[in-house]
Amino acid sequence: KNEVEQSPQNLTAQEGEFITINCSYSVGISALHWLQQHPGGGIVSLFMLSSGKKKHGRLIATINIQEKHSSLHITASHPRDSAVYICAVVTTSGSRLTFGEGTQLTVNP
Amino acid sequence: DSGVTQTPKHLITATGQRVTLRCSPRSGDLSVYWYQQSLDQGLQFLIQYYNGEERAKGNILERFSAQQFPDLHSELNLSSLELGDSALYFCASSRTVDPYNSPLHFGNGTRLTVT
């Protein structure tokens, strides 16, 4: 079993829909990162969080440390949001990132 | 623009060869991380340097080595290349030694193809 699991693996939505991507982890963590990987391959860091909730534009990330779960929400989705979204955790056992397998999001116009 | 520069963007080479990937971190960032993304393995942490010193090691093969120079740029050396080394190699940088204290900034990656 992977230490970081994301769901769903693939998600197709219509423009304007509210989207949720989930991340569950089984190890102790210091922080959790949400990353966005564009079709061209480049990776952008969206959020880094260790508790609570963060918001940036139409993106919201939440984390529940007790339940070992984080969610990434996209409000009013747009085709330009189409990308792979990757959850990564910083384990307390070391200063390294352990990655989920990613969620491929496709937003259709 | 993340401020992290990786060169080259693409690299095609033959099995058994040696290549060097280069990364210039964002201005002010002291930590450099190397990651490998292959189709079957996803993203994997290879190695981290902080201010010239090796800080953490992940799933890095013995055929691979890295270093960070006094100007903070880093190089990842891959030798005795095998077909399975074909992957996207990403460099990321951050301000602090630990990846939970400051955001990560990723380069655009080097796509290595071994034929």
Side-chain angles (χ1 to χ4, degrees):
Chain A
K1 189 177 188 294
N2 292 337
E3 292 179 328
V4 182
E5 303 231 336
Q6 288 185 234
S7 63
Q9 284 188 318
N10 294 283
L11 182 56
T12 300
Q14 288 301 121
E15 185 173 356
E17 286 185 359
F18 180 84
I19 287 162
T20 295
I21 299 170
N22 296 299
C23 174
S24 296
Y25 50 91
S26 57
V27 293
I29 71 167
S30 305
L32 182 144
H33 293 255
W34 280 103
L35 310 173
Q36 179 193 53
Q37 186 167 25
H38 297 288
I43 296 177
V44 174
S45 178
L46 298 175
F47 295 103
M48 179 188 67
L49 64 167
S50 54
S51 66
K53 176 179 172 178
K54 286 191 176 180
K55 184 175 189 290
H56 185 254
R58 296 179 295 106
L59 301 178
I60 303 165
T62 64
I63 188 169
N64 185 318
I65 297 293
Q66 287 73 30
E67 294 186 4
K68 296 190 173 181
H69 181 269
S70 175
S71 292
L72 176 68
H73 305 285
I74 304 175
T75 61
S77 60
H78 190 276
R80 65 174 174 265
D81 297 326
S82 298
V84 176
Y85 292 84
I86 302 168
C87 167
V89 301
V90 184
T91 61
T92 50
S93 62
S95 63
R96 62 198 62 186
L97 281 181
T98 302
F99 297 87
E101 293 190 358
T103 295
Q104 172 71 61
L105 171 66
T106 303
V107 182
N108 294 316
Chain B
D1 181 11
S2 68
V4 178
T5 304
Q6 282 189 253
T7 57
K9 287 185 181 177
H10 302 276
L11 200 47
I12 301 174
T13 190
T15 54
Q17 295 298 306
R18 172 189 168 97
V19 297
T20 298
L21 312 184
R22 182 188 169 102
C23 170
S24 293
R26 191 170 183 252
S27 178
D29 285 357
L30 299 177
S31 271
V32 169
Y33 307 80
W34 286 99
Y35 301 96
Q36 180 193 55
Q37 186 178 39
S38 56
L39 279 176
D40 57 344
Q41 298 257 1
L43 269 164
Q44 292 199 80
F45 167 71
L46 295 178
I47 198 164
Q48 178 201 357
Y49 279 83
Y50 176 76
N51 204 19
E53 300 289 327
E54 183 183 303
R55 169 69 182 174
K57 240 177 178 176
N59 301 321
I60 188 165
L61 300 171
E62 285 195 11
R63 299 184 286 109
F64 296 0
S65 65
Q67 53 184 327
Q68 186 179 28
F69 295 86
D71 67 351
L72 301 178
H73 91 271
S74 178
E75 292 181 357
L76 179 67
N77 300 298
L78 315 177
S79 62
S80 302
L81 285 167
E82 302 175 359
L83 294 177
D85 298 327
S86 296
L88 259 174
Y89 291 85
F90 286 99
C91 161
S93 71
S94 69
R95 194 163 294 272
T96 63
V97 65
D98 296 306
Y100 48 81
N101 282 337
S102 61
L104 288 172
H105 307 279
F106 284 82
N108 287 328
T110 293
R111 186 174 295 277
L112 173 66
T113 303
V114 183
T115 62

